[in-house]
Amino acid sequence: MWLLVRDNALMPAVDGSVTLAACPDTADRGEDWRWRVWRGPPTASDRLGEVFVDTDTDYVVASTTVVGASPITLTRQAGEEVVVVPLAGHHLIADSIGPWQRWLHPGDAFVLEGEESETVNLSSAPGPARVAVVRLSTTNDAPLRWVP
Amino acid sequence: MPYVLNAWYVAAWSHEVTREPVARQICTQPVVLYRTKDGAAVALADRCAHRGYPLSAGRLVDDSIECGYHGFAFGCDGVCTRVPAQSTIPSRSKVRAYPVHEKDGWIWIWTGDVERADVSAIPDTHWMNDPAWAAVTHSYRFECRADLVHDNLLDLTHESFIHRTTVGDDYIYEHGITVEVDGTTVTVDRLMPGVEAPPLYAATMGIEGLYDRFHATEFAVPSHHTLHSGITGRGRPREEGYLIKVLNGITPIDERTCWYYYAFCRNFGVENTAATEDLRIGLATVLDEDAEALRLQEIALSSRPSTEHDVLIAQDAGVAKARRVMAQLLAAEAAATPTTAPGAGETRYAASAASSSPATASVG
């Protein structure tokens, strides 16, 4: 399952922070909390705010890399969840085996998850470009599935 | 159960609204629909300002509707035009007039703040009225809350089970989805490469073998889904294929029932009237299957304790995101603190309510 949430659909909290993606996506149904990728409130130097990752460290291992303008092939391992967060510039994310592709912009969030591995291609428009790629997996090798 | 009121809902098919008043209930609001002598659609509150009798039980006199109880008459703007046996019309004698817009065979009604009614927000439905497409239409009164229909349309894996003999196939469940949330629109897209066409469509398409099948449900929260569906050659662009646009206008009646306005539009076999009839019958079967399933779900949910919740999985991402958008719209309307103007039954919002300036004359 892939999930693309545009900036205009993300609601800031009272303190100005914004949850970009989370598992579960809501606390309303009482699911076990696993992780959250979020932005801090906007600052004078960063209109969108800094990006943070919170996890249940007993269950989830997270790693974050920031990539630049070069085209990259992004492979998600089976059972892993990946959150792509544009930080600067505009980025084209494309299915490596199908026609689907979308432009991602700062403020958007893109989640990939599933029990089979898959590959997408990520390339950037000319100009400054930075993308955070957050990888999340379980500590026990069980598939980490996204919960709405 | 609250409803998103600042929205366009399908109120009726164009052919249903004539010079005979017709009653509808929309988001619990009783509405009477009729046409003026010039053919314009009118929607008024279906409750006479005089003593509350349903105006739909009255008759049309020119462009006014006359109450069948004591003869008060109201124009298409809701203002009283006649009170029997007196020339003075009480200033409070008016009923709510709803903005309406007629397009492609549907009459849309705006149930919220009149000043926010923008016809450009009405979804594209031109396929119903385009000679390059053939349409099969149905309308149903579903015995379930509108939310269950929204869930149903956003999670088409139910086709593998509920519609096994018509549009379903086991492979639907096996293909992943891509969910997009953009503003208040939620789209769930599924591409099924290298599969057979569903039995209901294959004969009309006149095809055999393996194709790329796709369906993308685009939900303009809170009232309308466009299902962009079809079959195309393997690896070929979707727009080259046999295309289907299924338009779904979902209009709440009350907390347990809703109207379902349905149009299945196809760009293949457009002149094939036999195929159209076969599809009309086959799609009625599909809708009957949905109606029965959701009726049963409504009954089951009615006894569910409030502490129990759906166990949603990744496949339900579109369902969950649409519920979130709906909740946000409802919260925004609740925050606007609606007030009800006496007499007219018209909802106004504090932010836009005109202030009154009573004149005070001094005495003595």
Side-chain angles (χ1 to χ4, degrees):
Chain A
M1 192 281 297
W2 293 351
L3 171 64
L4 169 57
V5 183
R6 295 294 185 188
D7 181 38
N8 62 7
L10 291 167
M11 303 294 283
V14 174
D15 66 358
S17 65
V18 175
T19 297
L20 298 168
C23 180
D25 198 41
T26 176
D28 292 348
R29 297 187 309 275
E31 314 280 0
D32 293 334
W33 181 79
R34 298 305 186 200
W35 58 262
R36 178 169 82 120
V37 177
W38 59 286
R39 285 185 181 279
T43 63
S45 60
D46 189 343
R47 183 182 65 84
L48 289 169
E50 192 176 355
V51 174
F52 302 92
V53 181
D54 296 339
T55 60
D56 169 3
T57 52
D58 289 339
Y59 194 81
V60 173
V61 177
S63 67
T64 303
T65 55
V66 176
V67 298
S70 302
I72 64 166
T73 298
L74 184 62
T75 299
R76 185 187 58 75
Q77 302 301 326
E80 183 183 44
E81 296 181 350
V82 172
V83 183
V84 178
V85 181
L87 302 173
H90 306 289
H91 311 272
L92 185 68
I93 193 152
D95 187 351
S96 65
I97 57 170
W100 189 90
Q101 60 180 30
R102 291 290 186 276
W103 282 98
L104 306 182
H105 314 287
D108 300 341
F110 185 60
V111 179
L112 306 89
E113 71 91 58
E115 296 191 21
E116 297 176 2
S117 66
E118 62 189 350
T119 301
V120 293
N121 298 318
L122 187 64
S123 55
S124 305
R130 284 190 308 129
V131 180
V133 177
V134 183
R135 293 182 176 276
L136 302 127
S137 56
T138 58
T139 53
N140 60 10
D141 291 335
L144 181 60
R145 295 306 306 263
W146 187 75
V147 178
Chain B
M1 176 182 289
Y3 306 94
V4 176
L5 297 179
N6 285 313
W8 291 101
Y9 291 97
V10 179
W13 293 96
S14 288
H15 65 80
E16 293 179 304
V17 178
T18 65
R19 291 285 291 166
E20 289 294 321
V22 58
R24 284 284 190 276
Q25 187 173 341
I26 297 169
C27 301
T28 71
Q29 300 175 28
V31 173
V32 57
L33 298 157
Y34 67 91
R35 287 191 189 277
T36 65
K37 292 168 75 174
D38 289 339
V42 177
L44 300 177
D46 191 15
R47 188 170 49 238
C48 181
H50 176 218
R51 300 263 292 277
Y53 193 72
L55 292 172
S56 56
R59 62 171 186 155
L60 298 186
V61 177
D62 294 327
D63 287 345
S64 292
I65 186 165
E66 181 185 84
C67 180
Y69 199 4
H70 302 101
F72 277 50
F74 301 87
C76 7
D77 58 359
V79 175
C80 185
T81 55
R82 179 173 173 269
V83 173
Q86 70 174 52
S87 60
T88 301
I89 295 176
S91 61
R92 289 196 303 107
S93 187
K94 59 183 178 181
V95 297
R96 179 177 180 180
Y98 292 85
V100 292
H101 187 73
E102 187 166 8
K103 190 171 88 164
D104 301 325
W106 278 347
I107 293 175
W108 296 80
I109 186 169
W110 178 267
T111 49
D113 181 0
V114 173
E115 293 171 5
R116 294 182 59 182
D118 176 6
V119 296
S120 70
I122 294 175
D124 181 9
T125 53
H126 79 275
W127 302 281
M128 284 199 284
N129 203 25
D130 184 333
W133 295 71
V136 167
T137 63
H138 289 287
S139 44
Y140 276 74
R141 179 187 170 110
F142 269 34
E143 299 299 317
C144 70
R145 67 197 73 179
D147 292 346
L148 297 188
V149 185
H150 298 317
D151 292 356
N152 178 269
L153 288 164
L154 288 164
D155 176 18
L156 295 179
T157 55
H158 77 270
E159 291 185 353
S160 299
F161 301 94
I162 299 288
H163 308 304
R164 185 177 296 278
T165 62
T166 47
V167 292
D169 224 319
D170 286 343
Y171 62 69
I172 295 174
Y173 215 97
E174 295 164 3
H175 292 89
I177 53 172
T178 301
V179 177
E180 295 185 57
V181 188
D182 191 348
T184 57
T185 298
V186 177
T187 303
V188 180
D189 186 289
R190 176 178 279 105
L191 174 64
M192 296 157 279
V195 300
E196 292 185 349
L200 182 59
Y201 309 150
T204 308
M205 293 170 174
I207 59 172
E208 292 181 353
L210 301 181
Y211 288 81
D212 287 355
R213 182 183 176 191
F214 54 90
H215 42 54
T217 302
E218 179 186 0
F219 180 21
V221 184
S223 69
H224 185 267
H225 300 248
T226 303
L227 172 56
H228 307 271
S229 177
I231 301 281
T232 192
R234 299 195 65 175
R236 301 302 305 166
R238 294 184 182 191
E239 53 269 26
E240 288 183 4
Y242 300 94
L243 301 181
I244 297 166
K245 305 288 183 181
V246 187
L247 311 176
N248 307 269
I250 312 302
T251 303
I253 297 172
D254 55 30
E255 64 179 10
R256 295 287 168 81
T257 52
C258 62
W259 298 110
Y260 190 157
Y261 299 93
Y262 175 92
F264 176 100
C265 312
R266 69 183 197 273
N267 75 342
F268 52 90
V270 172
E271 306 294 334
N272 187 341
T273 53
T276 298
E277 181 59 13
D278 288 345
L279 281 168
R280 191 186 64 77
I281 295 168
L283 293 167
T285 302
V286 173
L287 288 164
D288 286 341
E289 292 166 345
D290 281 324
E292 176 60 6
L294 300 187
R295 184 186 71 81
L296 293 173
Q297 188 183 11
E298 179 64 54
I299 292 170
L301 287 173
S302 67
S303 61
R304 185 167 77 171
S306 60
T307 51
E308 281 186 25
H309 304 286
D310 289 349
V311 179
L312 300 184
I313 60 174
Q315 287 275 359
D316 298 312
V319 169
K321 285 297 186 183
R323 289 179 182 177
R324 182 80 57 85
V325 172
M326 187 80 81
Q328 288 167 349
L329 291 173
L330 287 167
E333 290 195 359
T337 319
T339 56
T340 301
E346 184 170 358
T347 301
R348 289 286 183 184
Y349 290 79
S352 60
S355 59
S356 59
S357 302
T360 303
S362 61
V363 178

